[in-house]
Amino acid sequence: MTPSCDFINLAAPGVRTLHPYQPGMPESELRRQYGITEIVKLASNENPLGPSPHVLAALPDVLKDLARYPDGNGFGLKSALSDHHQVATDCITLGNGSNDVLELIARAFLTSQQNAVFSKYAFAVYPLVTQAIGAKARIADAHPADHVMPYGHDLDAMRDKIDALTRVIFIANPNNPTGTWLHHDELEAFLWQVPPSVIVVVDEAYAEYVVEDSYPDTPSWLERFPNLIVTRTFSKVYGLAGLRVGYALAHPTITNLLNRVRQPFNVNSVALVAATFALSDSDHVARSRQLNHQQMQIVIDELANLGLTCLPSIGNFLCVDMKQPGRAIFEKLLYHGVIVRPVDNYRLTNYLRITIGLPEENQKMLSALQEVLTT
Ligand SMILES: *Cc1c(COP(=O)(O)O)cnc(C)c1O
C-alpha cells in the first residue's frame, strides 16, 4: 500500500528517526515460531516467583467492578506508599509502569530547546523519551571496561555534560542492562554539585532486590534535594510487570507538574489493588530478594566454570561477557527453549543480559549455554 503522502516527514522531528523499544522475546513468540513448548524466559528481569499470593487472592473482588473507572487519584495505593516510604501523598505520582512516569517527566520538563543528560549504556527508555519529545540528549561517557564498575555511570562525566539548557538528568541505580550501581556517598556528592534548577531522576527499578549496604536511601533525601525524583516500579520484585504500575517520589511542586500531563486514568483498577496488596506482603519481597541473592551467586560461579565473567550487579540480572557476538548465542539458546536478552542495541555486542530465575530455570539456562558453547 503506497501512502498518499510522505507521512514520515510529517511526523514530529524527534519521532522521524525514533527506534522503538526492543522488548525481550515473549514466550508465546518462541512457541509460535519455533514450536518449542518447554520454555525458560530469562529476558525481562521479571520475578520468577510471580506476584504475592495475597495479590492473586484479592483479584476476583476487583474484577466485579471492571465497568467502573479506576480511582484517578489512586488514593488507596498512594496512602500505602506514603506509609511505606514515609513521604507525604502529595509527593507521589502513579504511572502505567515507571516507564509512564519517565515519559511524564520528559513531557513536563523538556522541549526541543532543552536537553537531558544520561550515561552511555543507560536504560534505553531515557533516549527514547528524550528524543520523542524532540529534546536533545547529552550522553556522558561511561566508566571504562577496567573500572570497578565497568560501563557504569561516571558521575563526573555526567556533571560535565550539564549546560545552561539541561533540564533533566536520568540515572539508573542499578543500571539496566549493566547491573552496575552508585554508592550512597558518590550519589549524594553529585546531588550537591548539580544546579538546583536541574531535575535529577534516580530510577530505582531494582531497589527492593538490593542487599548492598552502601545503596542510598534516596526517598529520605527528598527534603534535602527538591530537584530529586526517585522512580520505582511494581514490575520487578513485586512480580506485576503485566499490570503496569510504577511511581515517582518527588517534591510536591514537581509532583503537581507531573500530574498535569498525566492521563486521568493512567493506572487501571486491577493494577491499583494488586500493587497495594503486593506492597503489604514484605515476606514475599524478602523471599524474592533472598532467592535472587542465593541464585545469582550460583549462576556467577557456574558461568565462571564455563570461562565467562559478568559485570558486577545488584539487580536480578547479570550482564555476561560472551567473548563473541551475543546475538548468535541468543539465537542458538532459543532452540534450547531458553530466552535471554541480546544487548547489541546498547552496543554491548559481546554481552548477553540474563535474568536470575528459579533454580531449575537457571540450571536449564546453564546447561543450554554449555551445550551451545561446546558444539
Ligand atoms: C524494568 C525497568 C524499569 C521498569 O519499567 P516499568 O515500566 O515499570 O515496567 C524502569 N527502569 C529500569 C532501569 C528498568 O530496568
Side-chain angles (χ1 to χ4, degrees), residues 87-131:
V87 301
T89 50
D90 62 357
C91 296
I92 303 170
T93 307
L94 301 180
N96 187 26
S98 55
N99 199 137
D100 186 28
V101 174
L102 296 170
E103 213 175 298
L104 298 181
I105 295 166
R107 289 239 298 284
F109 290 100
L110 293 172
T111 71
S112 60
Q113 307 305 305
Q114 291 126 7
N115 67 65
V117 168
F118 47 85
S119 175
K120 204 171 167 183
Y121 313 116
F123 186 44
V125 167
Y126 314 151
L128 256 173
V129 298
T130 302
Q131 198 189 327

